[in-house]
Amino acid sequence: MAEFNEWKPFIAMITVDFSFSIVNILLKKVLDEGINHLVLITYRLSISALFLGPIGYFWERGSRPKLTFRISCYLFLSAIVGASLTQYFFLIGIQYTSATFACAFVNMVPVVTFIMALPFKMETVHIKSNSGKAKTLGALVCVAGAILLTVYRGAPLFNHSPDRAATRAMDHGLKLSHARRAERWTFGCIALLAGTLLWSSWFVLQSHIGRRYPCQYSSTAILSFFGAIQSAVLCLSTKRSLSIWILKGKIEIITVLYAGMIGSGLCYVSMSWCVKKRGPVFTAAFSPLVQIMAAMLDVPVLHEELYLGSLLGSIFVIIGLYILLWGKNKEMQNHATRVAQEAEEFKEQEPPVQVITVSFDSRRH
């Protein structure tokens, strides 16, 4: 049972990544059909709040601490950096690039989270040790991969059938000039970069919230509620037409329900729990799996192009990521060994306990 509990965070994060890859594919599909970004986010977060609210109320009723004004402010900020704005930037990035490319940007999240955690002393780097050198090298390799992803697109790696290529060309508009397509791709990259920075900051912030309000279902429900309000206000201030709020077709309804209950609901609960158990860097470290799983579905199902630049940049990011994780694991092993040695030295320095034996004469005088 103890071994199973040790593997629970790994199983949870793999399940989360698989769920996110399906969410990305569905989002790409409905975005191409023209659904408004902020409407999608509002519906998604509203369903998440409605789904998790009753669960959190009954499940955590006995252990839930008081919701203070300070915790509410933290959750409101968490909704901005982890829900409304982050999802908005990622949706723009997915629409202007592809689901696979967007997932490649998510690969930077662990390293960015690691860098953001340094000023808050959640992570440390001893540059003279092998673990410190590995963490620094991994971060640099990952940043190099991110730069490659942004500035180099390269040639497509798959040739789809002529009929399918013609259909896709019609869908995306043949009238778009090459310069216009490059401009859309660049804008998508900038949006993905902004989303990555916000998403990384959410892991650091969630680590702080988890210590003050350790109720994953309740905190995620409140976060989703705040995020839905933020998205709705932003949408109503930019688009006054009520027709954009009408969902069209089964695929949009299925996407909103799945993305709300699973993507913004149970996945956020699982990530909050993993941040509480293993820390922000461990939880963010599983992000590259989203790209691999999304690519397995994206290319054959949606017939998206996979470009050479995306492949090379992703390889650099993943290599850098796991160099960083190796260094972190080595650092944890060294720390555990040092603690064990200090405990052993402390035991040796303790004075021996003197046992005083008192003898009684059993004979009566």
Side-chain angles (χ1 to χ4, degrees), residues 192-231:
L192 289 172
L193 183 60
T196 300
L197 293 173
L198 289 173
W199 186 231
S200 301
S201 64
W202 179 83
F203 284 104
V204 177
L205 180 61
Q206 187 59 38
S207 179
H208 182 73
I209 293 174
R211 291 193 296 268
R212 292 178 173 269
Y213 198 74
C215 299
Q216 285 78 42
Y217 289 99
S218 299
S219 63
T220 306
I222 297 169
L223 179 150
S224 299
F225 174 73
F226 283 148
I229 293 175
Q230 294 162 2
S231 303

Side-chain angles (χ1 to χ4, degrees), residues 27-327:
L27 291 178
K28 176 64 176 176
K29 180 69 176 175
V30 297
L31 287 172
D32 286 344
E33 293 180 358
I35 191 172
N36 183 275
H37 302 78
L38 291 170
V39 168
L40 177 58
I41 296 170
T42 304
Y43 278 138
R44 174 180 178 175
L45 293 174
S46 299
I47 290 171
S48 173
L50 292 173
F51 176 65
L52 293 177
I55 298 175
Y57 177 78
F58 291 104
W59 190 274
E60 300 169 335
R61 181 166 46 183
S63 60
R64 185 172 48 245
K66 183 181 178 181
L67 182 63
T68 63
F69 178 75
R70 186 174 185 178
I71 295 174
S72 299
C73 291
Y74 279 126
L75 290 171
F76 187 85
L77 178 60
S78 179
I80 294 175
V81 301
S84 53
L85 272 184
T86 299
Q87 291 185 24
Y88 180 65
F89 282 127
F90 271 117
L91 287 178
I92 292 176
I94 289 174
Q95 185 181 23
Y96 286 177
T97 57
S98 70
T100 305
F101 187 81
C103 291
F105 256 86
V106 176
N107 290 346
M108 292 189 294
V109 169
V111 172
V112 178
T113 304
F114 167 71
I115 295 171
M116 286 184 173
L118 289 175
F120 299 98
K121 304 248 178 107
M122 296 179 184
E123 292 289 334
T124 56
V125 176
H126 302 287
I127 197 65
K128 294 183 179 180
S129 65
N130 290 333
S131 60
K133 291 175 182 176
K135 289 163 77 172
T136 305
L137 176 62
L140 293 175
V141 172
C142 194
V143 170
I147 295 173
L148 184 61
L149 274 171
T150 307
V151 301
Y152 178 63
R153 188 176 184 181
L157 300 179
F158 296 98
N159 292 320
H160 298 296
S161 63
D163 294 338
R164 181 63 187 173
T167 304
R168 282 179 51 77
M170 289 294 292
D171 290 340
H172 292 283
L174 285 170
K175 294 181 181 180
L176 285 175
S177 65
H178 176 73
R180 175 61 178 163
R181 289 196 298 271
E183 181 182 338
R184 285 171 59 87
W185 187 270
T186 303
F187 186 73
C189 290
I190 295 172
L192 289 172
L193 183 60
T196 300
L197 293 173
L198 289 173
W199 186 231
S200 301
S201 64
W202 179 83
F203 284 104
V204 177
L205 180 61
Q206 187 59 38
S207 179
H208 182 73
I209 293 174
R211 291 193 296 268
R212 292 178 173 269
Y213 198 74
C215 299
Q216 285 78 42
Y217 289 99
S218 299
S219 63
T220 306
I222 297 169
L223 179 150
S224 299
F225 174 73
F226 283 148
I229 293 175
Q230 294 162 2
S231 303
V233 170
L234 186 58
C235 183
L236 292 172
S237 63
T238 55
K239 297 283 184 179
R240 299 298 176 88
S241 175
L242 296 179
S243 61
I244 62 174
W245 293 90
I246 301 174
L247 297 178
K248 303 168 186 175
K250 292 181 180 179
I251 186 66
E252 290 189 0
I253 297 173
I254 292 172
T255 300
V256 166
L257 290 175
Y258 183 85
M261 290 188 290
I262 306 299
S264 293
L266 296 180
C267 285
Y268 271 67
V269 170
S270 300
M271 288 189 299
S272 299
W273 178 78
C274 287
V275 168
K276 179 183 174 183
K277 291 292 183 181
R278 293 296 183 88
V281 176
F282 171 87
T283 308
F286 285 82
S287 301
L289 289 178
V290 179
Q291 184 198 3
I292 298 170
M293 294 174 180
M296 292 170 61
L297 299 172
D298 199 16
V299 175
V301 175
L302 294 183
H303 298 278
E304 291 286 350
E305 292 289 1
L306 182 63
Y307 293 94
L308 179 62
S310 300
L311 179 63
L312 293 177
S314 300
I315 291 172
F316 270 89
V317 168
I318 292 173
I319 290 174
L321 168 66
Y322 287 104
I323 292 174
L324 169 65
L325 288 179
W326 179 87

